[in-house]
Each structure stands twice: as C-alpha cells, then as structure tokens.
Amino acid sequence: QVQLVESGGGLVQPGGSLRLSCAASGSIFSFYVMGWYRQAPGKQRELVARITSAGSTNYADSVKGRFTISRDNAKNTVYLQMNSLESEDTAVYYCNFYQVPKQYWGQGTQVTVSS
C-alpha cells in the first residue's frame, strides 16, 4: 500500500502562482510515476503533468510553459509549480502514484483562480 498526502491548494488571483506538494509513503519500489491530474466541475479528470523516477516528464498542452513538475526522490515527494494561473485552471487537483501493478490517488486539493 502507498499513502499520498497533498498540500498547497488555495485561492489565487489570475496571473498568480501556487505550488502543490504530494508526499508518498509506504511500499515504494525503485521505479514509479508520480503526477497530477485535475477535475473541473462537469468535466472529466485530466492529466496535468507527470514525472518518472528517472526524471522524464509529460505535460498537458494547456499548461506547458506555465507549470513545472519536479520531484525529490529522497523524500518521495512530487511538486507542481503553477505560474501564470488562469481561471481555466480552477479544479480539484489530485496526486497520482503509479507503481506496477497499482495506482493510488490522493484526496484532492482545491485550486481556485479568481479575482
């Protein structure tokens, strides 16, 4: 089993920044993928960004150039630095941890971008 603890959501004005953190603990092996998904009201959950234990990253087109995902392997923690936030970024953000053969989800953290 793997447990995920998220932090860092909140209310921010358009153009502002937030940083999300997700710490994993439990039965963690050498190779895994951690990432962030989000779900806005009335929409499907979508990938925002993910990073492998080797450091390879993927981003949704809508956040490229504005969001940066990074990780601290020693702490099994992944970060999502979100800059130039837009109202369309408003959603519940979920941390995801994938390690063959299972995936785990965090409880979700609300990000609201509004003036």
Side-chain angles (χ1 to χ4, degrees):
Q1 288 292 328
V2 174
Q3 295 77 43
L4 303 175
V5 178
E6 303 163 341
S7 62
L11 172 65
V12 64
Q13 292 185 343
S17 298
L18 281 175
R19 190 176 85 151
L20 306 182
S21 300
C22 176
S25 61
S27 300
I28 298 171
F29 305 126
S30 58
F31 180 79
Y32 55 91
V33 181
M34 290 187 75
W36 291 94
Y37 289 70
R38 66 187 181 188
Q39 187 166 19
K43 295 188 177 181
Q44 291 188 332
R45 191 173 296 189
E46 62 176 2
L47 172 69
V48 177
R50 60 188 173 198
I51 184 168
T52 72
S53 50
S56 297
T57 58
N58 293 99
Y59 293 92
D61 288 342
S62 60
V63 307
K64 285 181 180 177
R66 300 188 298 122
F67 291 11
T68 302
I69 191 168
S70 60
R71 68 191 300 157
D72 183 333
N73 285 343
K75 296 181 179 180
N76 294 321
T77 298
V78 65
Y79 305 96
L80 184 68
Q81 179 65 43
M82 305 185 292
N83 298 328
S84 301
L85 282 160
E86 305 168 352
S87 57
E88 291 77 14
D89 298 315
T90 295
V92 178
Y93 284 68
Y94 296 91
C95 180
N96 177 270
F97 180 99
Y98 175 73
Q99 176 173 266
V100 177
K102 294 183 179 181
Q103 69 174 344
Y104 302 86
W105 293 94
Q107 77 280 7
T109 185
Q110 178 70 46
V111 172
T112 302
V113 184
S114 175
S115 56

